[in-house]
Structures are given as structure tokens and as C-alpha cells.
Amino acid sequence: MAKTKSIHGEWSSRFAYILAATGSAVGLGNIWKFPYITGENGGGAFVLVYLGCVLAVGIPIMIAETMMGRRGRQSPINTLSTLSTEASVNKNWHYLGWMGVIAGVLILSYYSVIAGWASAYVFKAIFGGFSSDAMQVKASFDELIASPLQLIFWHTAFMIATMSVVMRGVRGGLEKAVQLLMPSLFVLLIILVGYAMTTGEAYFQGLSFLFSPDFSEIDSDAVLTAMGHAFFTLGLGMGAIMVYGSYLPSGVSIAKTTLFIAGADTIVALLAGIAIFPLVFANGLEPGSGPGLIFQTLPIAFGNMTGGWLFGVLFFVLLVFAALTSSISLVEPVVAWMVENRGFTRVKASVISGIAIWVIGVGVALSFNIWSEFKIFDKTIFNFLDDLTAKVMLPVGGFCIAIFAGWMMQQKHVKDELDMPEQQYQIWKFLVSYVAPAAVFLVFLHVLGIF
Ligand code: PFF
């Protein structure tokens, strides 16, 4: 019989869970990554594929992952052991939990470096203000990423912040951090969209770049990038939402909360795109200029607008917090596992995992400057870890979660946990058993050139 409570505690309410899970979903993926990968992959068609993946693959798997977490009530590794015993299937399923734990560690190692860039921009905003000149803004970004010391300093600061929230545990740490921050970030994005509207012609160019699909712009790698991003942005496929689901009180509707979270996540990404692309076009910048995109565009807006100093500071502060609420969900699976299986206190588990992640992150920071020539499979450390996690580990993890929920678990247990009207259940069941796994599988075959 599944447990009814987690040893790590529970969210204090449905609302607290929604905030925390939205905090996990909304992060650098929406504001930093979505715009630059959309820029690199030609715009509208890429956005459509991404939206299709969120709907047909992401949402059904998110429901499955949360449901499995709440039924297992432990870290993903132990949840999968418990659920495979309950379903009388092979115990090896718990390796899926391991893959998730490893993916979380790898993602956080580079996520923290990028969150470090955002932290550095808080200080740039406070002390220097921003220039309205695109060349100067770019030079300032280039100067930051060329400096190993600055990158390592900010990465270290961000890791310390993350681990000190995680140490405090489910209610004390995780919940408190999100309550005010999420809504504020939303308001700031709306202000930026308002500014983007003042760019006249460029505003419409930006909208058309984002929303008029030209399918000749995308190839199989773009489709994989879009699908991988659907997993990344929703925080799926590695146990983050599973572990958050394990702290979810019984009786809260998983389907409804998931729809809300996925909706909010998608809206934030689209707003970020609408705020950024007009600036790209208004300043003659290159949409495909890569990971530096938001750092080379948004400061121009802050440099130009009235009150830009204040908005600039606020925006980067909120971006750092959005990153923080995602980071804590990236380490929670490994911390929960160490507490359960090694008997560590949360503090000890946080320190150990934090140090390991920090070390890998130093390699990522250096891959932007002195180690930029060091390649793994022809990619820098940053690109390698990003591709390995977002394009391989998360989709594979998500695929396995869909198979587990759709084919391995007993229907009555799933129904018990989801507690939704029969017709909706049948739709979900079809999506998770057939559509989502088939989509992931076909995209992989396509990328490998087999289909
Ligand atoms: N969803 C986060 C973002 O978009 O920034 C990143 C993330 C969180 C990825 C949790 C994976 C995860 F499990």
C-alpha cells in the first residue's frame, strides 16, 4: 500500500504547491533559453512545434510524473522502487530515478553558471545602469563571460543561495521563496512587453518572427530542440515534479494544477519572446546570436526607458529568483534520496550535493573562456551538458515515465490517485500511453536518420 505522507513533510496547501511547482517550471528556461533557441531555429515554426510538444507530450507526462510522486511519496529513486513492487514489475525501474538524479545534478551545474550571469547583471544594473547603445551592451556582456573569475564568483554565490534554501526543507525554505516572486516577475515582464510595443515597426517584426511559421526553417535537430525544451521548461523527465508531487497533500486535483502550471509557464515564455524580439530587430541585432541574447537586448530597453534603472534592477533580481526556485527543484531529488537512504540530515545532504555540482559548474564557467577550445563530441562543456540533458536525458526520462504510468501501473491505482472524471481520464490515458511515447520515439528516430 502506498504511503499517505512523505517523511520530508508536505506543502501547506494546494496554493503552496502550485507556487512551488510553477517556481520550478518558470525559470531561465522561459526567459533566457526560450528566446535564444527560438532565435537560433528561425522563429514561428519552432514555436509551434514547441507548443505542440507542451500540449501533446508535456502535459500528459507532467500529470503522470506528479501522480507517480504522490503515490510513491519518496525521492524518485525510492518512489520507483515502491511503485514497481506495487505494480509487480521489474525492480530495475528504479534506475529511471537514478537517471533523473544525475540529470538534475548536470543541469544545475550549468544552470547555476547562467544564473550567475543574471546575478552579475543585478550589480551591473545597480552600479552602472545600462547603456542604450547596442554595441556597448554587447561589449559589456562579452567582458563578463571572458572573465573566469567573475563567472566562478557568481556561480559560487548562486550555489550557496540555492543550497541554503534547500537546507531549510519543504515548508521553511521552498515555499516561502516563491510566494511573492512569481507574481512580481510576471508584472515586470508585462512592463517589458509594454516597452517593446513602443518600438513601432520592430514590434510587428518581432511578433511576426515569433508567430508566423515557416517550416522550411526547421530540420530534425530543431524539432528535437523544441521537444527537449518542452521537457526542460516544464521541469519534466528527471524527477523534479515527481518529488514535488510526493509532498502534495491527498485530495488536490493533479490534472487541474498541472494545467495551471503548464499554462503559466507557456505564457511567461511567450511574453519573454514578445518582449525581446522587437528589441532584437529595432537594434539590428542577430536573432540567432545564442545564449547571450537576453543579456544583449534587454539592457538596451532599460537604458532607454524612463525608470529603466529601477526596472533593470528589479528585472534581474526577479530573474535570479526565478532561477533559484527552479534550482531548488533540480537538487531536491538527490537531497531527498540522501536523507532517505544514507540517513543524512538535510543540511549534510545539501552541502555534499552542492559541492559536487559546484565543481562541475566551474568546468562550465571555464568553457566560456579559457577552456572554450576543449571539446567533448565536438561541443564545449556547456553545450555538451545542455544537449545531453535537454535533448537526451529528459526526453528519455519522460518517455519511460509515460510507459510506466501508461503501461506498468495498475489502472485502479492510477485512477485512485488522479481522481478525475472518466472521460478526461480516458483522454489522458490515451495521450500518455500512445501519443507521448510515440512522439518522443519518432523524434529520436528522425534525428538518427532512421525515419
Ligand atoms: N523548468 C526550469 C526552467 O525552465 O528554467 C528548469 C528545470 C527545472 C529543468 C526543473 C528541469 C527540472 F527538473
Side-chain angles (χ1 to χ4, degrees), residues 24-30 107 111 232-236 238 240 326 329-330:
S24 161
V26 174
L28 295 173
N30 307 62
I107 294 176
Y111 204 82
F232 185 88
T233 189
L234 295 171
L236 295 184
M238 56 137 285
S326 300
S329 73
L330 284 161

Side-chain angles (χ1 to χ4, degrees), residues 28 113-123 144 295 316-317 319-320 323:
L28 295 173
V113 173
I114 311 294
W117 298 359
S119 318
Y121 268 68
V122 171
F123 283 79
L144 171 71
F295 298 96
F316 285 108
V317 168
L319 184 58
V320 173

